[in-house]
Amino acid sequence: QVQLVESGGGLVQAGGSLRLSCAASGSTFSVHAIAWYRQAPGKQRERVALISSGGSTNYADSVKGRFTISRDNAKNTVYLQMNSLKPEDTAVYYCNRFPTVWSWGQGTQVTVSS
């Protein structure tokens, strides 16, 4: 079973940037599409960015133009560069396989102050 470890979250002012990392164990990481998800308090988890095994990307409308997903298969790591952050981006961010998920990691908290 693949284990996922998210990191890089923190407290940032509106307009700031953060770079999240998702490190995965397991040798089959590179063949899977990986997504970043987020869950805000009282809301359902939503997918915000997706990267295919070949590097194609897809973004939720709410983050398009501000977030960039990338991957380094040699390091079994996926990144999420988040720019121009808004208070509504505040959430716990998770990564996982898409569409069929592995066990969820602990996530990383992102808090954007106004």
Side-chain angles (χ1 to χ4, degrees):
Q1 178 71 307
V2 173
Q3 291 187 319
L4 300 164
V5 179
E6 301 92 347
S7 62
L11 173 63
V12 64
Q13 289 188 331
S17 298
L18 285 172
R19 189 193 194 204
L20 307 185
S21 297
C22 166
S25 64
S27 60
T28 63
F29 177 81
S30 63
V31 304
H32 298 290
I34 303 294
W36 279 98
Y37 303 80
R38 69 185 181 188
Q39 187 166 22
K43 295 187 176 181
Q44 288 191 332
R45 190 172 291 169
E46 62 172 341
R47 189 179 79 246
V48 296
L50 171 66
I51 187 164
S52 72
S53 59
S56 299
T57 59
N58 181 269
Y59 299 93
D61 287 343
S62 58
V63 307
K64 201 170 292 184
R66 300 188 297 121
F67 289 11
T68 302
I69 188 171
S70 61
R71 68 191 299 162
D72 184 339
N73 289 332
K75 296 182 178 180
N76 274 12
T77 301
V78 172
Y79 304 97
L80 186 67
Q81 178 67 43
M82 306 187 296
N83 299 328
S84 303
L85 283 162
K86 304 176 181 180
E88 51 264 43
D89 294 319
T90 295
V92 179
Y93 284 71
Y94 304 86
C95 63
N96 215 315
R97 184 175 59 173
F98 178 86
T100 306
V101 299
W102 293 307
S103 296
W104 292 94
Q106 83 288 351
T108 186
Q109 175 71 50
V110 172
T111 303
V112 185
S113 63
S114 56

